[in-house]
Amino acid sequence: MSTEPTLLLALDLTGTFAFALNGALTALRLARLDVVGVLTLGIVTAMGGGILRDLMIGAVPPATFADWRFLAVAAAGATIAFLLGHRLDPLARSITVLDAAGLSLFAVTGASKALQYGLGPVQAVILGAVTAVGGGTLRDVMIQRIPTVMRAELYAIPALAGAAVTVVAVETDVYGLATAVVAAVACFAIRMTGVRLGLDAPRPR
Amino acid sequence: MSTEPTLLLALDLTGTFAFALNGALTALRLARLDVVGVLTLGIVTAMGGGILRDLMIGAVPPATFADWRFLAVAAAGATIAFLLGHRLDPLARSITVLDAAGLSLFAVTGASKALQYGLGPVQAVILGAVTAVGGGTLRDVMIQRIPTVMRAELYAIPALAGAAVTVVAVETDVYGLATAVVAAVACFAIRMTGVRLGLDAPRPR
Amino acid sequence: MSTEPTLLLALDLTGTFAFALNGALTALRLARLDVVGVLTLGIVTAMGGGILRDLMIGAVPPATFADWRFLAVAAAGATIAFLLGHRLDPLARSITVLDAAGLSLFAVTGASKALQYGLGPVQAVILGAVTAVGGGTLRDVMIQRIPTVMRAELYAIPALAGAAVTVVAVETDVYGLATAVVAAVACFAIRMTGVRLGLDAPRPR
């Protein structure tokens, strides 16, 4: 059992790194920014969702912000994006996979933390998705783009699915490493299927 | 007396529904969004103002977010907007009236809650207005539009007026159902007069 | 010793006034706004950074929002901008200097308050900078502009420097009026050097 927290921490840090790298690269591609902008937007992408969740549940200062390891990993991801920029283009596919892994992890841990703080199941599903997609949404708003999550691709829907599986597992008392993995894999599979097939969420007529 | 809370709840839910419907319709009209975007923006319009107020006064998790009935009503309003879209155009006038009712209610209940949490009278007036206009402001920022409330129409001013009447009533110990209605009617009357006459707030020269 | 808090209050109010005036003038110049928009954006520029910091550390209601003097001074600065507008153009240089003074003060007091609330040194440096640049960032996002702080000039970097000097002073137990002045002067000097020489932060290749 004692390896679980270490494993979870390692996964969380990996997700944070992937979000910061991908978030900073997206910001770089879409807006003329300086080093302050690229680092800020990488960190915001990586930590913004968890911060929004923690503000909503009253867990302040937000956990990942208070832990220097998350800040360091997020800053490292954003710095690599700043220094290498387009030279990372050949890694685009791997970065998308890493980003989907981050999405999955954040949806699961976000929903589980919301339940721990006493929120109801529906609220926990929403906050799981907010944890996963909130950072990218903040980044998009800051670079004057209507958030992708609100207009294309399957991004919030897999996060909601992963969070929902998590909430069901907790409410039925079967939550543990195994069910958390199931929830994360559900999110990851939907996300990567959407990427592979170019699926979008339904649009109004 | 025991019917007052029920009445207030019914009014609050009606305002939430109106804001979600109107907010989602506005978002639909102005931006290409998918189902995630329309639902998110409807819910943000309906609940964002109250959430901002609750974060500012430390009432977390925010009351309407923690109560599934508000979430359900907001999601219902946004879903109707998503499904029916332009077919609701003939109801535009009624929706504007409902929206003005929501504005009035939120200004009054927002100011009153801020006072309950110990804020000063000026702060309570501001937070009453934030409760009423904050959700629409967040929506506008998320769809890349300079918030209407900051550039046209009379929208914040009636909310400030309704909140101010509320604060005066509380501070002079005459706050109750009757004075709350007076405050809400003041806001509603200014708002609807502005809509009818096409009034705008003063602009700089 | 008893004059220090009074002096600090006077400086803080001066910074708040400068930020509100400058913030409202910038908003006026860049977007068609009405009186609600100009006052809102002036107040947001002046108080938004401190509010973000206070939400992050759990100091709610935010200190400057709860103190009517800050609200009054911010509203006064924004009102002057609304009434005089372009007639303040001849004062542009003085306003830039006042704004740099506000930046310096907010960076120092923001970092120091974060430490008081138990945050780590890196977090305190970041929150000092957030206090200094957060309000202008929120204003820029609300008027649909990619925040200047993320793409040009030296604005966040002097704030980070001032906050870092503050944190070092506190951690080495030499923090006091003298070292606070040193930290503020460091920030002010870098900012004004950047303005004078037209320096920008490094951009990605």
Side-chain angles (χ1 to χ4, degrees), chain C residues 129-178:
Chain C
V130 165
T131 308
V133 312
T137 303
L138 287 175
R139 176 207 57 211
D140 284 351
V141 168
M142 291 175 87
I143 58 171
Q144 305 304 326
R145 185 165 79 139
I146 297 183
T148 321
V149 67
M150 301 200 307
R151 55 188 168 79
E153 300 185 24
L154 293 188
Y155 202 71
I157 288 173
L160 289 164
V165 173
T166 305
V167 168
V168 169
V170 172
E171 300 279 307
T172 56
D173 266 333
V174 298
Y175 188 67
L177 186 57

Side-chain angles (χ1 to χ4, degrees), chain A residues 96-97 99-101 103-104 107-108 152-166 181-202, chain B residues 36:
Chain A
T96 300
V97 172
D99 187 82
L103 185 80
S104 309
V108 172
E153 301 185 23
L154 293 188
Y155 202 70
I157 289 173
L160 288 164
V165 173
T166 305
V181 169
V182 169
V185 166
C187 172
F188 185 81
I190 301 173
R191 169 65 183 152
M192 290 312 297
T193 305
V195 168
R196 183 67 62 114
L197 305 181
L199 300 180
D200 287 313
Chain B
V36 171

Side-chain angles (χ1 to χ4, degrees), chain A residues 55-58 119 122-123 126-127 137 140-141 144-153 156-157 200-205, chain B residues 28 30-38 40-41 51 55 60-62 65-68 71 82-83 86-87 141-144:
Chain A
L55 292 179
M56 292 284 284
I57 62 179
L119 276 89
V122 177
Q123 286 82 357
I126 294 174
L127 288 180
T137 304
D140 284 351
V141 168
Q144 305 305 327
R145 186 165 79 139
I146 298 184
T148 321
V149 68
M150 301 200 307
R151 56 188 168 79
E153 301 185 23
I157 289 173
D200 287 313
R203 293 221 175 78
R205 275 173 293 181
Chain B
L28 261 177
L30 295 166
R32 266 182 69 84
L33 301 165
D34 62 19
V35 61
V36 171
V38 176
T40 302
L41 291 170
I51 289 174
L55 292 178
V60 287
F65 182 73
D67 183 335
W68 67 269
L71 271 176
F82 177 77
L83 294 176
H86 285 295
R87 275 170 287 172
V141 167
M142 291 174 86
I143 57 171
Q144 305 305 326

Side-chain angles (χ1 to χ4, degrees), chain A:
Chain A
M1 282 297 271
S2 68
T3 60
E4 286 186 24
T6 311
L7 178 67
L8 194 62
L9 175 66
L11 289 171
D12 246 5
L13 289 170
T14 308
T16 301
F17 178 82
F19 267 36
L21 181 66
N22 198 22
L25 285 173
T26 306
L28 261 176
R29 218 173 14 245
L30 295 166
R32 266 182 68 84
L33 302 165
D34 63 19
V35 62
V36 170
V38 176
L39 290 190
T40 302
L41 290 171
I43 294 172
V44 163
T45 306
M47 309 188 38
I51 289 175
L52 287 178
R53 176 205 57 211
D54 286 351
L55 292 179
M56 292 284 284
I57 62 179
V60 288
T64 53
F65 182 73
D67 183 334
W68 68 268
R69 294 171 298 188
F70 285 88
L71 271 176
V73 161
T79 303
I80 291 170
F82 177 77
L83 294 175
L84 299 181
H86 286 293
R87 276 170 287 173
L88 294 169
D89 287 353
L91 299 177
R93 279 189 60 83
S94 313
I95 293 173
T96 300
V97 172
L98 264 187
D99 187 82
L103 185 80
S104 309
L105 270 164
F106 287 3
V108 172
T109 56
S112 139
K113 181 164 185 182
L115 288 174
Q116 272 169 40
Y117 274 75
L119 276 89
V122 177
Q123 286 82 357
V125 172
I126 294 174
L127 288 180
V130 165
T131 308
V133 310
T137 304
L138 287 175
R139 176 206 58 211
D140 284 351
V141 168
M142 291 175 87
I143 57 170
Q144 305 305 327
R145 186 165 79 139
I146 298 184
T148 321
V149 68
M150 301 200 307
R151 56 188 168 79
E153 301 185 23
L154 293 188
Y155 202 70
I157 289 173
L160 288 164
V165 173
T166 305
V167 168
V168 169
V170 172
E171 300 279 306
T172 55
D173 265 333
V174 298
Y175 188 67
L177 186 56
T179 44
V181 169
V182 169
V185 166
C187 172
F188 185 81
I190 301 173
R191 169 65 183 152
M192 290 312 297
T193 305
V195 168
R196 183 67 62 114
L197 305 181
L199 300 180
D200 287 313
R203 293 221 175 78
R205 275 173 293 181

Side-chain angles (χ1 to χ4, degrees), chain B residues 59-97:
Chain B
V60 287
T64 52
F65 182 73
D67 183 335
W68 67 269
R69 294 170 298 189
F70 285 88
L71 271 176
V73 161
T79 302
I80 291 171
F82 177 77
L83 294 176
L84 299 182
H86 285 295
R87 275 170 287 172
L88 293 169
D89 288 353
L91 299 177
R93 280 188 60 83
S94 313
I95 293 173
T96 300
V97 173

Side-chain angles (χ1 to χ4, degrees), chain B:
Chain B
M1 283 297 271
S2 68
T3 62
E4 287 186 23
T6 312
L7 178 67
L8 194 63
L9 176 66
L11 289 170
D12 246 6
L13 288 170
T14 308
T16 300
F17 179 82
F19 266 36
L21 181 66
N22 198 20
L25 285 173
T26 306
L28 261 177
R29 220 175 8 246
L30 295 166
R32 266 182 69 84
L33 301 165
D34 62 19
V35 61
V36 171
V38 176
L39 290 190
T40 302
L41 291 170
I43 294 172
V44 163
T45 306
M47 309 188 39
I51 289 174
L52 286 178
R53 176 204 60 211
D54 285 352
L55 292 178
M56 292 284 285
I57 63 179
V60 287
T64 52
F65 182 73
D67 183 335
W68 67 269
R69 294 170 298 189
F70 285 88
L71 271 176
V73 161
T79 302
I80 291 171
F82 177 77
L83 294 176
L84 299 182
H86 285 295
R87 275 170 287 172
L88 293 169
D89 288 353
L91 299 177
R93 280 188 60 83
S94 313
I95 293 173
T96 300
V97 173
L98 264 187
D99 188 82
L103 186 80
S104 309
L105 271 164
F106 286 3
V108 172
T109 55
S112 138
K113 181 164 184 182
L115 288 174
Q116 272 169 40
Y117 274 77
L119 275 88
V122 176
Q123 286 83 356
V125 171
I126 293 174
L127 288 180
V130 165
T131 308
V133 310
T137 303
L138 287 175
R139 176 206 57 212
D140 283 351
V141 167
M142 291 174 86
I143 57 171
Q144 305 305 326
R145 185 165 79 139
I146 298 183
T148 322
V149 67
M150 301 200 308
R151 56 189 168 79
E153 301 186 23
L154 293 188
Y155 202 72
I157 288 174
L160 288 164
V165 173
T166 305
V167 168
V168 169
V170 173
E171 300 280 305
T172 55
D173 265 333
V174 299
Y175 188 66
L177 186 56
T179 45
V181 169
V182 170
V185 166
C187 173
F188 185 82
I190 301 174
R191 170 65 184 153
M192 289 313 296
T193 305
V195 168
R196 183 68 62 112
L197 305 180
L199 300 180
D200 286 313
R203 292 221 176 79
R205 275 174 292 182

